[in-house]
Amino acid sequence: MRLSSLLFLVCFFTVAMSQCAAAAKARHFRWEVSNMFWSPDCEEKVVIGINGQFPGPTIRAKAGDTIVVHLKNGLHTEGVVIHWHGIRQIGTPWADGTASISQCAINPEETFTYRFVVDKPGTYFYHGHYGMQRAAGLYGSLIVDVADGDEEPFKYDGEINLLLSDWYHESIYTQMVGLSSNPFRWIGEPQSLLINGRGQFNCSLAAAHTPGAKQCAAAGNRHCAPVILPVLPNKTYRLRVASTTSLASLNLAVGNHKLTVVEADGNYVEPFAVDDIDIYSGDSYSVLLTTDQDTSANYWVSVGVRGRQPRTAPALAVLNYRPNRASRLPAAAPPATPAWDDFARSKAFTYRILGRAGVTPPPPATSDRRIELLNTQNRMGGGHVKWSINNVSMVLPATPYLGSLKMGLRSALPSAARPSDTFGRGYDVMRPPANPNTTVGDNVYVLAHNATVDVVLQNANALARNVSEVHPWHLHGHDFWVLGYGDGAFRGDAGDAAALNLRNPPLRNTAVIFPYGWTAIRFVADNPGVWAFHCHIEPHLHMGMGVIFAEAVDRVSELPKAAVSCGATATALMAGAGGHV
Amino acid sequence: MRLSSLLFLVCFFTVAMSQCAAAAKARHFRWEVSNMFWSPDCEEKVVIGINGQFPGPTIRAKAGDTIVVHLKNGLHTEGVVIHWHGIRQIGTPWADGTASISQCAINPEETFTYRFVVDKPGTYFYHGHYGMQRAAGLYGSLIVDVADGDEEPFKYDGEINLLLSDWYHESIYTQMVGLSSNPFRWIGEPQSLLINGRGQFNCSLAAAHTPGAKQCAAAGNRHCAPVILPVLPNKTYRLRVASTTSLASLNLAVGNHKLTVVEADGNYVEPFAVDDIDIYSGDSYSVLLTTDQDTSANYWVSVGVRGRQPRTAPALAVLNYRPNRASRLPAAAPPATPAWDDFARSKAFTYRILGRAGVTPPPPATSDRRIELLNTQNRMGGGHVKWSINNVSMVLPATPYLGSLKMGLRSALPSAARPSDTFGRGYDVMRPPANPNTTVGDNVYVLAHNATVDVVLQNANALARNVSEVHPWHLHGHDFWVLGYGDGAFRGDAGDAAALNLRNPPLRNTAVIFPYGWTAIRFVADNPGVWAFHCHIEPHLHMGMGVIFAEAVDRVSELPKAAVSCGATATALMAGAGGHV
């Protein structure tokens, strides 16, 4: 147990609260979410902003602090919630910010208070988790420093924060209609990639090196002026990189500079140096960069698309070696993004991410349960396209699970039929589904308290031949150990299960499954609540690619009324009142 | 009391229910609201549809029937309600379908049941009443025939239903952001006018008579194919015309044919013949048309813009004299819409609308209270543009009034300060406001039970010089008598009040105020509930142009839980439960 955790416990149980004031404090924020005009890539559209900003304000705290966000919904007709991605919400499952799962969406003009402890230092972010509001721009950074007196297991002189996203010119409303339509309409590729909310559309900052591109203005519009990252020579910087893309898998490189990976998803990893890093939606990393290059130049930071045939130009930012002028664009070509379909390279990067020796705890040696989740693309009702897990596409209920499960409301509960822990060995993951028909369902897995659970995510061929996509799966309420990856069908106890890495697997909250491959994770169900586990690609989640883990809900303490003041939970509680209105 | 009303009462109080089955029945509808792609004017956009239709299904009933609509919200993140425009909701104020006023918005995936009696025959419609959802296409017709055994006071051989609207290519989300922005952005004029949900954009069905226009296809796309209205020669048709426009004031004419006005807003009027009729948003009319023209031709139905400088082409439909082919477009030019700013003509039409002799009841001879509402355009916070009533721009609360007032929830209630019944005689209605600053407020007027209330709507100059706009004001929960209109400032008891028409004023639910003019109405506060009274122009309402009448709320019977399961009413009722969640 690290000092920060100890301090937190001490503060929690001691009556000598004065001692704790310095170590852990409550940080209060008053936020209002609203639609506003913004030009992330110099094309004006409507974004969801917070307090008039896009991306939303960065939260900066220390491990052990309590974050208190009074979130007012300033949208006109839409509900809203915010998920604190990577924060485990230990003891506060109602603050996880998932509509239909952990709380009732906040109605227009209402304020909901999120109050939770950031117990672990790391690079996190927050985002909308209702409909596709994340893709509309509802996101921001959440950075947790080590508690006073603690130290990171690496040194650096300064920090640079890079929140990456992608951006569509079509509204999310139109996107959602297309994804829900019969015939189905795919949203296509994003129009631009954004670094800290800024991108370039129909132009390049490095036009000289980009055939056919026109030069973007290097200044001007405050929404989309290039991101300039000032650094001093011969220093080491910690780049905090997180991706909240709707669709795109990304790769980040900095011209001429090596990157040393030291953190993934708020957990330390064994350091390793690379020329570039892959970042899937839902991932966060810290990488160290030393400014040891020619000090007379500035350098490109380049973010490009991997994993899907890119139709979106890389986003560029400028690493500005001071005292060079910021406006002096690098003369060199930006680093090229590796080929989108070089999955061998992607795997090589991902497989290098391991727990940090002496820091990352090892997983339990055995598990109590293994859940195998087959990801398939399917059709429903002839024309709807869905993603399914073990052939059931997830739909979310009107009444959030945390309330309905805790109150035992049968009518609002998931169907009595439990989803399957396995999909059967016969499925041919290399071909389109023999029978593409699917159904919708709850996909609620009930986990025993403190059970050690393995989940094997099994990828497969999509509806079209020779297509299998990348899916980054994100777990709420937990970190998990990534025990291993493999190609083709998982071979179970006889084969792959015996070869999993129990020695130094990394702890993460997001894990990718590669095309036609599998990924095995392990976690301990020690956090009572109801937790989503889903593909972090926004349209994939909208199309049903997820499951729900219901974990010892009877041990959850009293829910805030505001979290259950909708649907069947509200009706039941009001009926309990017995009063006449 | 008409026979239908008598029958209703008989059915209500008798135990011999079998007798009533034929006279009054419950008509059940299962509707689901959802966003969908549609091409109202052949340009594909997203509309809000019902059961996959746009406009929504037409409800047809007989006076005395009970309408039961099980409304499921199939939107992804937005609440929804439906207002039954013109239905007084006697005894069922919670079914009026006004978010923040009569009920909690229905959450996504939830179903709310609207159950109400259509007590009076007439031409009505329904529409969304949350944010600007009406402008997104959430509307349809509601037509109530006379009860069995009753007769209309005029004869006709057939009916034609014409639901008129206007249509913007920008989404309502973008529109709302602009209207709420600082600096303010006006939504501009609609791209097209629609007849029964169909219009022509960037083309004309009568291109030969429209300089510069290209000819629209006369068939093809099922969403936007021309509206064909088949008729037989030498018959009389009742045209039911209603307008649910967002902005446009309309004029309707049928080539070569006279129109005899017989009904306005579900009330009979003294018949009068005209060449064309003005229809403001929120109005409905029945006009009789006799097919007494050359039977070898078809004729244009033309709907054009009045009251604002038009930038939107007229919508055309074809009155198809059978057995002529429907595709044979009229050779003649469509009737020209009268000059937009010929307000003398507009007034002449409106002033001719009077109660039907021997049918329309006269108003009470005196009133108990007069409320004078000055409509001004204002600025707030420097850049926001608002419409204000007696210098307060209406904002709606998170918790609907009907619940919070009935439960006496102080924290959710309107401010203790009551809005003013008068604006003072000194205001110069002919000039921009000397001090354009305004504030926001509740604008809740508490009306004594059974009081006879006069309201004088006073128009004025807007922010720009020499601009005063048309505003059609719609009252919920009531019909009212329109006692008179005038130009300039209302002169009160000394002048105009004494000259009001108490002899044969028409009963209506919507009344226009002309530029720089005033309109006086009277109604009896005999319908306990909370009722909106507002300009029916969607962006004007969004900008605060309305007030609330709270009427004997203590006499409202028990509210359905679903109408109060949000905000402070839900919290209070759940707290009453005292149970732990």
Side-chain angles (χ1 to χ4, degrees):
Chain A
M1 185 176 286
R2 274 199 301 280
L3 182 57
S4 60
S5 307
L6 258 176
L7 265 173
F8 173 69
L9 285 176
V10 168
C11 291
F12 207 80
F13 293 111
T14 188
V15 286
M17 293 302 283
S18 60
Q19 278 189 280
C20 305
K25 69 186 221 181
R27 297 179 188 267
H28 289 263
F29 302 88
R30 290 198 176 275
W31 286 0
E32 180 166 347
V33 169
S34 64
N35 275 318
M36 59 187 194
F37 292 116
W38 206 266
S39 306
D41 58 6
C42 292
E43 298 275 313
E44 188 181 75
K45 300 292 171 188
V46 172
V47 306
I48 304 183
I50 298 175
N51 292 354
Q53 300 177 42
F54 167 77
T58 294
I59 291 181
R60 188 113 204 176
K62 290 183 180 170
D65 286 352
T66 297
I67 304 295
V68 185
V69 177
H70 306 282
L71 187 72
K72 180 177 177 186
N73 181 2
L75 302 172
H76 292 294
T77 56
E78 286 176 76
V80 80
V81 293
I82 288 185
H83 169 58
W84 315 94
H85 185 109
I87 307 303
R88 295 173 294 172
Q89 301 290 352
I90 296 168
T92 53
W94 51 79
D96 193 42
T98 47
S100 290
I101 303 169
S102 67
Q103 70 167 112
C104 297
I106 308 162
N107 286 330
E109 296 300 308
E110 298 278 10
T111 297
F112 181 88
T113 299
Y114 290 97
R115 183 188 305 269
F116 55 89
V117 174
V118 289
D119 60 317
K120 210 159 52 80
T123 305
Y124 306 105
F125 53 104
Y126 61 83
H127 59 76
H129 214 295
Y130 191 28
M132 289 179 60
Q133 290 178 342
R134 172 161 60 93
L138 182 52
Y139 46 74
S141 293
L142 197 177
I143 294 175
V144 182
D145 291 305
V146 291
D148 289 341
D150 273 7
E151 282 189 8
E152 306 274 9
F154 43 81
K155 299 278 181 205
Y156 52 95
D157 304 299
E159 275 196 25
I160 290 171
N161 188 46
L162 299 173
L163 181 61
L164 310 181
S165 56
D166 51 8
W167 182 244
Y168 285 82
H169 290 175
E170 282 280 23
S171 76
I172 57 164
Y173 312 106
T174 301
Q175 292 180 43
M176 288 192 289
V177 174
L179 294 172
S180 306
S181 285
N182 182 353
F184 176 76
R185 291 198 206 172
W186 175 239
I187 59 172
E189 304 298 314
Q191 275 61 60
S192 51
L193 303 179
L194 307 182
I195 301 174
N196 294 344
R198 294 154 184 247
Q200 299 92 40
F201 175 69
N202 262 350
C203 67
S204 172
L205 287 168
H209 302 285
T210 313
K214 71 172 190 193
Q215 180 68 34
C216 306
N221 189 313
R222 68 189 174 91
H223 295 168
C224 57
V227 172
I228 306 294
L229 308 167
V231 290
L232 296 173
N234 297 310
K235 300 283 185 188
T236 294
Y237 289 88
R238 177 182 190 169
L239 275 57
R240 295 182 181 269
V241 187
S243 172
T244 182
T245 53
S246 177
L247 177 67
S249 300
L250 301 176
N251 180 276
L252 177 141
V254 181
N256 288 38
H257 291 75
K258 286 270 179 191
L259 306 172
T260 300
V261 181
V262 293
E263 180 215 344
D265 301 354
N267 293 286
Y268 300 119
V269 300
E270 190 64 23
F272 62 101
V274 286
D275 290 325
D276 55 85
I277 62 168
D278 289 335
I279 318 112
Y280 301 96
S281 181
D283 281 350
S284 66
Y285 290 103
S286 284
V287 296
L288 301 181
L289 171 149
T290 300
T291 49
D292 53 7
Q293 296 298 304
D294 177 0
T295 59
S296 71
N298 290 333
Y299 297 89
W300 291 117
V301 176
S302 177
V303 175
V305 171
R306 298 204 69 210
R308 301 178 66 89
Q309 188 154 19
R311 297 179 198 282
T312 314
L316 297 177
V318 177
L319 190 74
N320 170 216
Y321 270 50
R322 289 295 170 92
N324 299 332
R325 280 189 301 125
S327 60
R328 183 162 151 199
L329 296 178
T337 302
W340 71 272
D341 55 355
D342 185 353
F343 290 108
R345 185 186 169 109
S346 305
K347 291 172 188 173
F349 171 76
T350 299
Y351 296 176
R352 289 185 73 178
I353 301 166
L354 296 167
R356 185 163 181 129
V359 175
T360 306
T366 59
S367 73
D368 300 308
R369 180 176 179 185
R370 185 166 73 221
I371 301 173
E372 298 175 356
L373 302 178
L374 172 69
N375 298 225
T376 54
Q377 196 181 36
N378 299 79
R379 283 193 195 283
M380 203 178 65
H384 293 286
V385 176
K386 298 284 181 187
W387 288 98
S388 295
I389 308 307
N390 295 355
N391 210 33
V392 178
S393 186
M394 181 176 76
V395 287
L396 292 171
T399 305
Y401 286 124
L402 185 58
S404 60
L405 286 168
K406 185 153 165 57
M407 292 171 66
L409 300 179
R410 291 184 178 276
S411 65
L413 281 178
S415 58
R418 296 266 67 83
S420 176
D421 276 17
T422 182
F423 53 93
R425 282 280 166 268
Y427 190 89
D428 184 350
V429 302
M430 303 307 289
R431 295 172 189 279
N435 175 1
N437 290 336
T438 191
T439 54
V440 295
D442 306 307
N443 286 2
V444 174
Y445 288 84
V446 177
L447 305 184
H449 186 50
N450 281 330
T452 298
V453 178
D454 284 0
V455 179
V456 179
L457 290 160
Q458 176 68 59
N459 212 339
N461 198 101
L463 283 168
R465 286 188 177 278
N466 300 317
V467 174
S468 183
E469 300 186 13
V470 163
H471 302 287
W473 277 68
H474 172 64
L475 178 59
H476 293 232
H478 292 277
D479 289 328
F480 51 72
W481 291 273
V482 186
L483 302 187
Y485 302 86
D487 296 328
F490 180 72
R491 285 171 300 152
D493 295 323
D496 297 311
L500 297 174
N501 174 18
L502 302 180
R503 193 175 61 83
N504 64 347
L507 271 173
R508 304 204 62 168
N509 59 54
T510 304
V512 64
I513 48 173
F514 290 109
Y516 301 108
W518 57 263
T519 299
I521 67 168
R522 178 170 294 179
F523 66 97
V524 180
D526 56 2
N527 189 12
V530 182
W531 308 110
F533 182 45
H534 61 90
C535 177
H536 207 261
I537 291 176
E538 189 88 319
H540 289 186
L541 173 57
H542 192 74
M543 293 161 71
M545 200 170 200
V547 300
I548 302 292
F549 291 143
E551 210 174 307
V553 174
D554 56 308
R555 291 172 178 263
V556 173
S557 55
E558 187 173 353
L559 304 177
K561 289 284 193 294
V564 292
S565 65
C566 67
T569 44
T571 304
L573 285 166
M574 292 195 301
H580 288 260
V581 184
Chain B
M1 184 176 285
R2 273 198 303 281
L3 180 57
S4 60
S5 307
L6 259 176
L7 266 172
F8 172 69
L9 286 176
V10 169
C11 292
F12 207 81
F13 293 112
T14 188
V15 287
M17 292 303 284
S18 59
Q19 279 188 279
C20 305
K25 69 186 220 182
R27 297 177 189 268
H28 290 262
F29 302 88
R30 291 199 175 275
W31 286 0
E32 180 166 346
V33 169
S34 65
N35 275 318
M36 59 186 194
F37 291 116
W38 205 266
S39 306
D41 58 5
C42 293
E43 300 275 312
E44 189 181 75
K45 300 290 170 189
V46 172
V47 306
I48 304 184
I50 297 174
N51 293 354
Q53 299 176 42
F54 167 76
T58 294
I59 291 180
R60 187 113 205 175
K62 290 183 180 170
D65 286 352
T66 297
I67 305 294
V68 185
V69 178
H70 305 283
L71 187 74
K72 180 177 177 187
N73 181 3
L75 303 172
H76 292 294
T77 56
E78 286 176 76
V80 81
V81 293
I82 288 185
H83 169 58
W84 315 93
H85 185 108
I87 307 302
R88 294 173 296 170
Q89 302 290 354
I90 296 169
T92 54
W94 51 80
D96 193 42
T98 47
S100 291
I101 303 169
S102 66
Q103 69 168 111
C104 296
I106 309 162
N107 286 330
E109 295 301 306
E110 298 278 9
T111 296
F112 181 87
T113 298
Y114 289 98
R115 184 187 304 268
F116 55 89
V117 174
V118 288
D119 60 317
K120 210 160 52 82
T123 303
Y124 306 105
F125 53 104
Y126 61 84
H127 59 78
H129 214 295
Y130 190 29
M132 289 178 62
Q133 291 179 342
R134 173 162 60 92
L138 182 52
Y139 46 74
S141 293
L142 196 176
I143 294 175
V144 182
D145 291 305
V146 291
D148 290 338
D150 272 8
E151 282 188 9
E152 306 274 9
F154 43 81
K155 299 281 180 203
Y156 52 96
D157 303 301
E159 276 197 22
I160 290 170
N161 188 46
L162 299 172
L163 181 62
L164 310 180
S165 56
D166 52 7
W167 183 243
Y168 286 82
H169 289 176
E170 283 280 23
S171 75
I172 57 165
Y173 311 106
T174 302
Q175 292 180 44
M176 288 192 289
V177 174
L179 294 172
S180 306
S181 285
N182 182 353
F184 176 76
R185 291 199 205 172
W186 176 238
I187 59 172
E189 304 299 312
Q191 276 60 61
S192 51
L193 303 180
L194 307 181
I195 300 174
N196 294 343
R198 294 154 183 246
Q200 298 92 41
F201 175 70
N202 261 350
C203 68
S204 171
L205 287 168
H209 301 286
T210 314
K214 70 173 190 192
Q215 181 68 33
C216 306
N221 189 314
R222 69 189 173 91
H223 294 167
C224 57
V227 172
I228 306 295
L229 308 167
V231 291
L232 295 173
N234 297 309
K235 301 283 185 189
T236 295
Y237 290 87
R238 177 182 190 169
L239 275 57
R240 294 181 180 270
V241 187
S243 171
T244 182
T245 53
S246 176
L247 176 68
S249 300
L250 301 177
N251 181 276
L252 176 140
V254 182
N256 288 38
H257 291 75
K258 286 271 180 191
L259 306 172
T260 300
V261 181
V262 294
E263 180 216 343
D265 301 355
N267 293 286
Y268 299 120
V269 301
E270 188 66 21
F272 63 100
V274 286
D275 290 325
D276 55 85
I277 61 169
D278 289 336
I279 316 113
Y280 301 96
S281 182
D283 282 350
S284 67
Y285 289 103
S286 285
V287 297
L288 301 181
L289 171 150
T290 299
T291 51
D292 53 7
Q293 296 299 304
D294 177 358
T295 60
S296 71
N298 291 333
Y299 298 88
W300 291 118
V301 176
S302 177
V303 176
V305 171
R306 299 205 68 210
R308 301 178 65 90
Q309 187 153 21
R311 297 180 199 281
T312 315
L316 297 177
V318 176
L319 190 74
N320 170 215
Y321 270 51
R322 289 295 169 93
N324 299 332
R325 281 187 303 124
S327 60
R328 184 163 150 198
L329 296 178
T337 303
W340 71 271
D341 55 355
D342 184 353
F343 290 108
R345 186 186 166 108
S346 306
K347 292 172 188 173
F349 171 76
T350 299
Y351 296 177
R352 289 185 72 179
I353 301 166
L354 296 168
R356 185 163 180 129
V359 176
T360 306
T366 59
S367 72
D368 300 308
R369 179 176 180 185
R370 185 166 71 221
I371 301 172
E372 299 176 354
L373 302 178
L374 172 69
N375 299 225
T376 54
Q377 195 180 35
N378 299 78
R379 285 193 193 282
M380 202 178 65
H384 292 285
V385 177
K386 298 284 180 189
W387 288 99
S388 297
I389 308 306
N390 295 354
N391 211 32
V392 179
S393 187
M394 181 177 74
V395 288
L396 292 171
T399 304
Y401 285 125
L402 186 57
S404 61
L405 286 169
K406 186 155 165 55
M407 293 171 64
L409 300 178
R410 289 184 180 278
S411 64
L413 280 179
S415 57
R418 296 266 66 82
S420 176
D421 277 16
T422 182
F423 54 92
R425 283 279 166 271
Y427 191 89
D428 184 351
V429 301
M430 303 307 290
R431 295 172 191 278
N435 175 3
N437 291 336
T438 191
T439 55
V440 295
D442 306 307
N443 285 2
V444 175
Y445 288 84
V446 177
L447 305 185
H449 185 50
N450 281 329
T452 297
V453 179
D454 284 359
V455 179
V456 178
L457 291 160
Q458 176 68 59
N459 213 340
N461 198 101
L463 283 167
R465 285 188 179 279
N466 300 317
V467 173
S468 182
E469 300 185 13
V470 162
H471 302 287
W473 277 67
H474 171 64
L475 178 59
H476 293 232
H478 292 277
D479 289 328
F480 51 71
W481 291 272
V482 187
L483 301 187
Y485 302 87
D487 297 327
F490 180 72
R491 285 169 300 151
D493 295 322
D496 297 310
L500 297 175
N501 174 18
L502 301 180
R503 193 176 59 82
N504 63 348
L507 271 173
R508 304 205 60 167
N509 60 54
T510 305
V512 64
I513 49 174
F514 290 108
Y516 301 107
W518 56 263
T519 299
I521 68 168
R522 177 170 295 179
F523 66 97
V524 180
D526 56 2
N527 190 13
V530 183
W531 309 110
F533 182 44
H534 62 90
C535 178
H536 207 260
I537 291 175
E538 190 87 318
H540 289 186
L541 173 58
H542 191 75
M543 293 161 71
M545 198 170 201
V547 300
I548 302 291
F549 291 145
E551 210 174 307
V553 174
D554 56 308
R555 291 172 179 262
V556 173
S557 53
E558 187 174 352
L559 304 177
K561 290 283 194 295
V564 292
S565 64
C566 67
T569 45
T571 304
L573 284 166
M574 292 194 303
H580 288 259
V581 184

